[in-house]
Amino acid sequence: MRYELYYWPGIPGRGEFIRLALEEAGADYLDIGQSPGNGVSAISAYLDDPQASRPPFAPPFLKAGDIVVSHVANILQFLGPRLGLVPDDESTRFWVQGLQLTLCDWLLEVHDVHHPIGASLYYEQQRAEARRRASLLIGERLPKFLGYFEHVLSSNPQGDTWLVGDSLTYADLSLFQMVAGLRYAFPQAMQRLEPEIPEVSALAVRVAERPNIAAYLASGRRQSFNEQGIFRHYPELDG
Amino acid sequence: MRYELYYWPGIPGRGEFIRLALEEAGADYLDIGQSPGNGVSAISAYLDDPQASRPPFAPPFLKAGDIVVSHVANILQFLGPRLGLVPDDESTRFWVQGLQLTLCDWLLEVHDVHHPIGASLYYEQQRAEARRRASLLIGERLPKFLGYFEHVLSSNPQGDTWLVGDSLTYADLSLFQMVAGLRYAFPQAMQRLEPEIPEVSALAVRVAERPNIAAYLASGRRQSFNEQGIFRHYPELDG
């Protein structure tokens, strides 16, 4: 099975949460947004196809043969059993997915810091509002989300190596990406906050050291964070 | 199976998306937040229990025997097959869930209109920002989301009665609730927009006329929208 990932090129963005799962599992996939002859036009053509009976609202979406799945959490839930990134039992799968949806909520809050009024305006058109929102993100929301995942790790009955059970799930990969993105966007804030969340920081190291992830991070496929993406470094927002 | 729904009392909020599924199916459930002897303290006690090994981040969450599931979309995915609110085949289930996640994204945008800076501040502390955001919501985002669901309905190969296939799914119930909430919060805007989305408006009528839903809407269990909830009517935001 060759998976096809549809996501905008030029930023890690939401697509990166899917790429990390595919890379960890060594899956065969084509990154349509970045592949020659495809790119933005192939994504737009799919979204705007008037014949499509099941059109996704927005990227990312994944094609797996005839199946098309949209949304980060939904795609990961689809891939989880296929790539061995989630345990077998149903109760645990819903728990992993609850963690993933918490991560997705958190990601949106981080995005909206630089776009509190609307995604259709430039950052420069909502800079004052962004500053107000950033101080709440850093003062209240980052400690709350980071503290929650620290608590989940430290109260896992099977040990504090991974969020769930005793092996890596897609939620661990996503938490790694959140930490990486936050370190890029808010280096000062994270330097203050990380001593309070040693288990989360240690998990991020463990993920980065997985052989397939380490190889991916060192490759040209891993895109840099930048100021067109979700995690943006604007020094005036990093209080 | 008696389900237990954990959600804050006093507002329909996110809990309503779960209640509609339970009511449509005639399921046995206890609404913990509104039941005597439980209420907010029972929810807080569960969230803050230091012994809990799988603590949800926030309500709503649902207990079904030993299984605890958090997040609207995840709860509906759990309930869907059990309550007969989703077809059997896997591909279609992922499609329904993609629609539900789009609805959840949309719901959050509607919430953030009155809280663009942060949920920990009062509306009155972010009124100017809310006005700016509302004009984009009404001018750009509502037409986009409503138009998307109109397109999904009208391109369903099995007819335009329901979003997916030829029978009701949990996504239809959620779309009904979105329309109901938007009519409450933005009556002027919706009066202008609804002529463009006849299929969506007709679906909302069909849902309201389902026998179990009609009985629920007429009962004391259906809570009114109000200005503590997600859908709030502030006339100055309804352009």
Side-chain angles (χ1 to χ4, degrees):
Chain A
M1 167 67 68
R2 174 174 239 194
Y3 298 104
E4 291 183 357
L5 170 65
Y6 285 71
Y7 191 70
W8 307 122
I11 60 169
R14 288 187 172 79
E16 196 66 7
F17 295 84
I18 313 303
R19 287 185 202 101
L20 285 168
L22 294 163
E23 293 282 349
E24 163 65 19
D28 182 21
Y29 74 102
L30 183 64
D31 194 332
I32 294 286
Q34 301 193 82
S35 75
N38 288 298
V40 170
S41 59
I43 298 171
S44 299
Y46 194 95
L47 287 174
D48 300 335
D49 178 4
Q51 303 305 315
S53 66
R54 294 182 171 183
F57 184 74
F61 53 97
L62 185 85
K63 285 177 71 175
D66 290 340
I67 298 188
V68 180
V69 184
S70 74
H71 287 78
V72 168
N74 205 25
I75 297 169
L76 290 174
Q77 194 168 38
F78 172 80
L79 288 175
R82 286 164 175 80
L83 303 183
L85 294 174
V86 80
D88 274 342
D89 81 284
E90 188 192 29
S91 172
T92 302
R93 287 189 179 177
F94 279 104
W95 166 235
V96 173
Q97 184 69 354
L99 294 173
Q100 186 64 44
L101 286 162
T102 300
L103 285 157
C104 288
D105 289 343
W106 184 9
L107 182 68
L108 188 63
E109 290 197 24
V110 171
H111 170 272
D112 281 4
V113 159
H114 50 77
H115 279 77
I117 302 302
S120 65
L121 302 179
Y122 292 109
Y123 166 64
E124 289 71 21
Q125 296 173 285
Q126 46 197 316
R127 193 174 244 162
E129 295 91 341
R131 267 184 196 252
R132 271 193 90 189
R133 185 155 176 157
S135 78
L136 292 179
L137 180 88
I138 290 170
E140 298 174 7
R141 302 302 287 173
L142 294 190
K144 184 170 166 80
F145 280 107
L146 289 167
Y148 173 73
F149 284 97
E150 185 76 7
H151 176 60
V152 169
L153 271 166
S154 58
S155 58
N156 179 352
Q158 291 177 264
D160 56 8
T161 308
W162 306 112
L163 287 168
V164 180
D166 59 3
S167 58
L168 175 138
T169 67
Y170 58 77
D172 295 303
L173 298 171
S174 291
L175 180 54
F176 159 79
Q177 179 65 8
M178 280 299 304
V179 170
L182 290 171
R183 285 178 183 158
Y184 172 80
F186 307 104
Q188 290 190 41
M190 286 298 279
Q191 203 164 16
R192 276 202 318 278
L193 292 168
E194 286 214 41
E196 307 292 321
I197 48 148
E199 307 266 15
V200 170
S201 299
L203 179 137
V205 171
R206 272 192 293 279
V207 169
E209 288 175 347
R210 304 275 292 186
N212 284 356
I213 296 294
Y216 170 62
L217 298 178
S219 77
R221 299 192 302 289
R222 172 76 167 180
Q223 298 171 80
S224 304
F225 294 109
N226 62 58
E227 281 58 57
Q228 274 75 51
I230 295 177
F231 296 102
R232 301 187 186 188
H233 178 56
Y234 295 124
E236 66 270 26
L237 302 185
D238 182 20
Chain B
M1 166 67 69
R2 173 172 240 196
Y3 297 104
E4 292 183 356
L5 170 64
Y6 285 72
Y7 191 70
W8 306 123
I11 60 169
R14 289 188 172 78
E16 196 66 8
F17 295 84
I18 312 303
R19 288 186 201 101
L20 286 168
L22 294 163
E23 293 282 347
E24 163 64 21
D28 182 22
Y29 75 101
L30 182 65
D31 195 332
I32 295 286
Q34 301 193 82
S35 74
N38 288 298
V40 170
S41 59
I43 299 171
S44 299
Y46 194 95
L47 287 174
D48 300 336
D49 178 4
Q51 303 304 314
S53 66
R54 293 181 171 184
F57 184 74
F61 54 96
L62 185 85
K63 284 177 72 174
D66 289 340
I67 298 188
V68 180
V69 184
S70 74
H71 286 78
V72 168
N74 204 24
I75 296 169
L76 290 173
Q77 194 168 38
F78 173 80
L79 288 175
R82 287 164 174 82
L83 303 182
L85 294 174
V86 80
D88 274 340
D89 80 285
E90 187 191 32
S91 173
T92 302
R93 287 189 179 177
F94 279 104
W95 167 233
V96 173
Q97 185 68 354
L99 293 173
Q100 186 64 45
L101 287 163
T102 300
L103 285 156
C104 288
D105 288 344
W106 185 9
L107 182 68
L108 188 63
E109 290 196 24
V110 172
H111 170 272
D112 281 4
V113 159
H114 50 76
H115 279 78
I117 302 302
S120 64
L121 301 178
Y122 292 109
Y123 166 65
E124 289 71 21
Q125 295 173 286
Q126 45 197 316
R127 193 174 245 161
E129 295 91 341
R131 267 184 196 253
R132 273 193 89 189
R133 185 155 174 156
S135 78
L136 292 179
L137 180 88
I138 290 171
E140 298 174 7
R141 301 302 286 172
L142 294 188
K144 186 170 165 80
F145 280 107
L146 289 166
Y148 173 73
F149 283 97
E150 185 76 7
H151 176 60
V152 169
L153 271 166
S154 58
S155 58
N156 179 352
Q158 291 178 263
D160 55 8
T161 308
W162 305 113
L163 286 167
V164 180
D166 59 3
S167 58
L168 175 138
T169 66
Y170 60 76
D172 296 302
L173 297 171
S174 291
L175 181 54
F176 158 79
Q177 179 64 8
M178 280 298 305
V179 170
L182 291 170
R183 284 178 183 158
Y184 172 81
F186 307 104
Q188 290 190 42
M190 286 297 280
Q191 203 164 16
R192 275 202 319 277
L193 292 168
E194 286 213 40
E196 307 293 322
I197 49 147
E199 307 266 15
V200 170
S201 300
L203 179 137
V205 171
R206 272 192 293 279
V207 169
E209 289 175 346
R210 304 276 291 187
N212 285 354
I213 296 294
Y216 170 63
L217 297 178
S219 76
R221 298 192 302 288
R222 174 74 167 181
Q223 299 172 78
S224 303
F225 293 110
N226 61 57
E227 281 59 56
Q228 274 74 52
I230 293 176
F231 296 103
R232 302 188 185 187
H233 178 55
Y234 295 123
E236 66 270 25
L237 302 186
D238 181 20

